[in-house]
Amino acid sequence: KNEVEQSPQNLTAQEGEFITINCSYSVGISALHWLQQHPGGGIVSLFMLSSGKKKHGRLIATINIQEKHSSLHITASHPRDSAVYICAVRIQGAQKLVFGQGTRLTINP
Amino acid sequence: EPEVTQTPSHQVTQMGQEVILRCVPISNHLYFYWYRQILGQKVEFLVSFYNNEISEKSEIFDDQFSVERPDGSNFTLKIRSTKLEDSAMYFCASNEMAGNYGYTFGSGTRLTVV
């Protein structure tokens, strides 16, 4: 069983649509990270959350520790948002990150 | 903005050969990591390194793998005798301190074993 599950695996939307990507985890964590991976392969950190909600530009990330669930929202989506979005958790007492399988997002003009 | 630099960006090697992947973490960061991503699969943890020693490693990180920080700036991953299944993208990452600090990832080295 995967410790970190994301849904959906693939998401295609039209420019301007509101996007939600979900992440559920089954282990005790000290933090949850949302990362972006572009076709070239590089990974960029978007958010680190241990509680509540964070916003950066058109991106919003929320976490519910009791429910072991996090969401990443993109408002007014744009084709340049097309990428793989990855949820990763830092397990309590460890330094390593455990990754979800990623959500491939495609925004069409 | 400070970056984690990885070299080379792509390496092709013969099965059985040794490879060294290099990383220059951000200068004031203290924790260093190697992760890998086999094509089409999720990113997997290999090893973490702090205070010049391995602090945590995964089952993947067997005797064929080693890490070192030879000169206080570079952080290297050595694979002693490469196998076909070592073909993957290898990412170096670093963060500032223990606890909930963000990670900075390098752009990766794509290793192809033929």
Side-chain angles (χ1 to χ4, degrees):
Chain A
K1 183 185 185 300
N2 290 325
E3 293 162 305
V4 182
E5 296 274 3
Q6 288 184 236
S7 63
Q9 285 193 293
N10 293 283
L11 179 56
T12 301
Q14 291 299 120
E15 184 172 355
E17 286 189 39
F18 182 81
I19 302 299
T20 296
I21 299 169
N22 295 300
C23 175
S24 296
Y25 52 92
S26 58
V27 292
I29 70 168
S30 53
L32 182 143
H33 297 252
W34 281 103
L35 308 160
Q36 183 189 55
Q37 186 172 32
H38 276 281
I43 295 173
V44 174
S45 182
L46 298 175
F47 293 104
M48 180 184 66
L49 295 160
S50 51
S51 65
K53 176 179 174 177
K54 286 190 177 178
K55 184 175 190 289
H56 186 253
R58 294 180 294 106
L59 273 58
I60 303 164
T62 64
I63 188 168
N64 184 321
I65 298 293
Q66 287 73 33
E67 299 283 323
K68 295 189 174 177
H69 182 269
S70 176
S71 294
L72 176 69
H73 306 286
I74 305 175
T75 61
S77 59
H78 190 276
R80 67 174 173 266
D81 297 325
S82 298
V84 175
Y85 291 84
I86 303 172
C87 171
V89 301
R90 182 167 162 262
I91 294 176
Q92 281 175 344
Q95 279 294 320
K96 69 178 183 184
L97 293 178
V98 175
F99 287 71
Q101 78 275 27
T103 295
R104 184 174 300 278
L105 175 65
T106 304
I107 304 295
N108 292 320
Chain B
E1 189 166 330
E3 289 184 344
V4 173
T5 306
Q6 287 188 245
T7 54
S9 56
H10 190 188
Q11 180 151 0
V12 181
T13 190
Q14 296 270 347
M15 192 168 55
Q17 294 295 303
E18 175 183 286
V19 294
I20 298 176
L21 309 183
R22 301 180 195 279
C23 170
V24 180
I26 294 171
S27 59
N28 65 334
H29 283 190
L30 300 178
Y31 287 81
F32 314 113
Y33 310 84
W34 284 101
Y35 290 87
R36 79 171 185 191
Q37 185 178 34
I38 295 170
L39 189 63
Q41 298 186 22
K42 63 183 179 180
V43 178
E44 303 172 287
F45 168 75
L46 291 178
V47 66
S48 60
F49 192 84
Y50 169 70
N51 200 24
N52 282 322
E53 60 182 29
I54 291 173
S55 50
E56 194 174 356
K57 62 181 181 178
S58 71
E59 292 172 355
I60 303 166
F61 194 88
D62 61 20
D63 292 343
Q64 291 298 313
F65 292 89
S66 62
V67 289
E68 65 174 358
R69 196 144 190 258
D71 56 12
S73 61
N74 290 285
F75 178 51
T76 62
L77 174 69
K78 183 193 292 186
I79 310 175
R80 258 181 272 286
S81 177
T82 49
K83 308 186 198 71
L84 294 175
E85 54 264 37
D86 294 327
S87 295
M89 182 78 102
Y90 288 80
F91 293 102
C92 174
S94 67
N95 59 3
E96 200 171 337
M97 292 178 68
N100 287 336
Y101 286 81
Y103 292 74
T104 304
F105 287 83
S107 53
T109 292
R110 182 167 299 285
L111 176 66
T112 304
V113 183
V114 297

